[in-house]
Amino acid sequence: MSIIDASLTEAQKILQETARRFAREEILPHSHEWEEAGEFPRELYEKAGSIGLLGVGFPEELGGVGGGALEILMSIEGLMEGMTTGVTVGLGSHQIALPPVVEFGSDPLRRRIVDEVLRGEKIAALAITEPGAGSDVAGITTRATRRDDGSYRINGAKTFITSGVRADYLTVLTRTSDDKHGGLTFFVVERDREGLSISKPLKKTGWWSSDTAELGFDDVVVPEENRLGAEGTGFLALMKNFQLERLALAGYGYTTAALALRLARENVEERRAFGRPLKGFQVLRHRLADMATKTLAARVLTFEVARAIDRGESCFEEVAMAKNLTAETAVAVTYDAVQIFGGAGYMRETVVERLSRDARLLPIGGGTQEIMKEIISRQMGLV
Ligand SMILES: Cc1cc2nc3c(=O)[nH]c(=O)nc-3n(C[C@H](O)[C@H](O)[C@H](O)COP(=O)(O)OP(=O)(O)OC[C@H]3O[C@@H](n4cnc5c(N)ncnc54)[C@H](O)[C@@H]3O)c2cc1C
């Protein structure tokens, strides 16, 4: 229990505990096997959906269970007790894919897809990044061209798409005009559309149990109903989406650090060297003290930013700060945890080894550390 847990409401504590129990019963016993296999069973979505875990942050009238940014953090904290970021982000890909559908999609489209994704019957993924444009999101070239009957023809390629291999619905950012920022438009593309090709899972440093895909769009035709909002609203939808995506990544960051800290702490109690437990060495105690301090600071900042989001405040820059602080903390604390485990920390069956690989994505995904610093320095009036 830390100083900020006391401020959680009963409902938030129950949500956190529900997610934690689910992770300990349904994920943790299989996490090593699923990570090594590079996938987790599709049924896990339905199990999570049946107890409302996929509906956190979504409105009840669309099949969600309500809640805001803080509730999303509670569900991440609980699910990460499964000790695999891969499963948590795989289960959570709809958290970044559905908000543009909920906010900008037509009623028939929302009714058709949101509920079944939140029940875990279908999987949704967000496709923005392209082989030629990642940080420079407005540099994307995937083109959607309007046809005479109102439908759209999509051509282009996407890469690094989380859950892209298995997704039934893809929320795809396209270019509908040459206006750099004002020419972007989101569409939903169903996986069985002719002309859509989906790669095998890409091999990665970490997040092994989540699949990551390359997508090809070769004259893929979608009806007008699949367009999210008016043409040209894609950049606005994207910026709104980044807020919760980056907050969630901050959640993965401090949670990864907290798990590594807990495991390292257990190790210094149990492991002995030179006739005493490792905690008998001041240098290791102090390393743990630093790890604990950084982890708490990262969690406190992320909580405060989540509370500000829930109050309706715009905090694009503060989210960027939380994302960077938590990512740096996760990388540093997992590095230290591996060090405290010694040789065992370098072995595949040791959880801190996995956490240290998983942490490396955090300063890259969802907007890199450098892009976050650009956002922060712009707010400081330096750009
Ligand atoms: C495991 C994984 C899962 C992912 N999941 C998804 C997903 O579900 N959907 C999706 O759309 N994308 C996804 N991504 C893509 C991810 O968001 C991008 O990789 C990320 O935004 C960086 O883009 P990039 O890889 O093209 O790097 P680049 O943009 O090519 O950047 C390369 C380097 O240049 C730096 N750089 C670029 N521009 C600037 C600048 N202006 N100032 C200073 N430095 C700069 C970057 O910080 C970085 O260090 C995923 C990536 C990975 C690895």
Side-chain angles (χ1 to χ4, degrees):
M1 174 75 80
S2 87
I3 47 171
I4 43 181
D5 291 300
S7 65
L8 293 173
T9 64
E10 271 316 298
Q12 286 162 346
K13 286 182 194 160
I14 290 170
L15 169 61
Q16 186 190 39
E17 187 48 37
T18 303
R20 188 180 287 146
R21 198 171 333 111
F22 178 82
R24 287 187 180 150
E25 288 170 8
E26 302 288 345
I27 302 175
L28 190 59
H30 313 285
S31 55
H32 183 69
E33 176 199 340
W34 292 346
E35 280 286 308
E36 292 292 321
E39 62 179 5
F40 63 91
R42 216 184 143 106
E43 300 83 77
L44 198 67
Y45 287 91
E46 287 190 59
K47 284 186 182 169
S50 70
I51 56 167
L53 286 178
L54 302 184
V56 177
F58 291 95
E60 288 174 30
E61 60 273 22
L62 291 175
V65 297
L70 211 50
E71 281 72 18
I72 290 173
L73 291 181
M74 290 305 98
S75 66
I76 289 172
E77 287 190 6
L79 286 172
M80 282 292 285
E81 290 289 329
M83 306 266 178
T84 140
T85 325
V87 172
T88 315
V89 297
L91 277 180
S93 58
H94 71 289
Q95 287 281 0
I96 54 174
L98 284 188
V101 181
V102 169
E103 191 161 349
F104 294 89
S106 64
D107 261 353
L109 182 74
R110 297 195 308 176
R111 271 200 302 277
R112 181 154 63 84
I113 73 173
V114 174
D115 184 54
E116 56 181 3
V117 172
L118 299 185
R119 280 204 305 269
E121 291 161 11
K122 292 282 164 66
I123 298 173
L126 178 70
I128 294 169
T129 307
E130 299 186 356
S135 300
D136 181 15
V137 282
I140 62 150
T141 56
T142 294
R143 218 357 119 173
T145 314
R146 194 178 171 87
R147 305 191 325 157
D148 290 344
D149 63 358
S151 63
Y152 287 81
R153 186 192 304 280
I154 302 177
N155 281 289
K158 298 285 174 184
T159 193
F160 306 149
I161 307 310
T162 299
S163 296
V165 176
R166 298 203 282 193
D168 302 285
Y169 300 116
L170 296 155
T171 304
V172 182
L173 189 65
T174 71
R175 173 161 296 294
T176 43
S177 87
D178 290 333
D179 185 324
K180 183 157 184 178
H181 295 95
L184 301 177
T185 309
F186 271 113
F187 287 87
V188 167
V189 177
E190 296 87 349
R191 77 172 289 123
D192 52 6
R193 292 275 170 198
E194 209 173 311
L196 174 66
S197 54
I198 301 173
S199 73
K200 290 203 163 57
L202 303 174
K203 299 250 184 226
K204 311 187 286 290
T205 302
W207 290 25
W208 286 350
S209 53
S210 78
D211 75 62
T212 309
E214 285 173 335
L215 310 172
F217 299 82
D218 184 10
D219 283 340
V220 176
V221 175
V222 292
E224 187 174 13
E225 178 190 293
N226 286 27
R227 195 186 67 215
L228 303 181
E231 279 190 25
T233 53
F235 194 71
L236 172 70
L238 181 66
M239 290 303 119
K240 287 188 156 191
N241 212 39
F242 269 145
Q243 177 135 305
L244 282 184
E245 175 176 5
R246 289 171 183 163
L247 186 88
L249 285 160
Y252 298 131
Y254 75 71
T255 313
T256 300
L259 293 174
L261 170 65
R262 189 202 301 164
L263 294 166
R265 192 205 154 113
E266 285 167 11
N267 192 60
V268 298
E269 307 259 5
E270 288 159 14
R271 177 104 180 143
R272 297 177 69 84
F274 297 93
R276 50 182 157 155
L278 293 181
K279 71 176 179 182
F281 299 103
Q282 189 184 48
V283 68
L284 295 188
R285 288 198 302 271
H286 285 191
R287 196 186 269 259
L288 280 157
D290 286 343
M291 291 159 72
T293 307
K294 288 178 194 164
T295 303
L296 178 61
R299 188 169 181 236
V300 169
L301 176 62
T302 309
F303 263 55
E304 283 310 311
V305 174
R307 287 189 205 287
I309 292 174
D310 286 340
R311 287 194 300 269
E313 292 170 26
S314 162
C315 32
F316 206 62
E317 298 78 15
E318 289 80 359
V319 171
M321 291 177 185
K323 182 176 183 290
N324 270 4
L325 181 67
T326 53
E328 281 164 25
T329 301
V331 171
V333 170
T334 55
Y335 179 94
D336 286 347
V338 168
Q339 194 65 22
I340 286 171
F341 268 77
Y346 200 64
M347 295 296 129
R348 281 265 279 273
E349 65 266 26
T350 308
V351 174
V352 293
E353 183 269 346
R354 180 193 310 150
L355 293 173
S356 71
R357 284 186 288 99
D358 287 350
R360 190 61 188 89
L361 192 268
L362 297 169
I364 298 172
T368 64
Q369 186 179 57
E370 291 77 13
I371 295 300
M372 296 306 102
K373 288 184 184 178
E374 278 299 285
I375 292 169
I376 297 161
S377 55
R378 201 172 307 132
Q379 189 220 20
M380 294 168 71
L382 299 171
V383 181

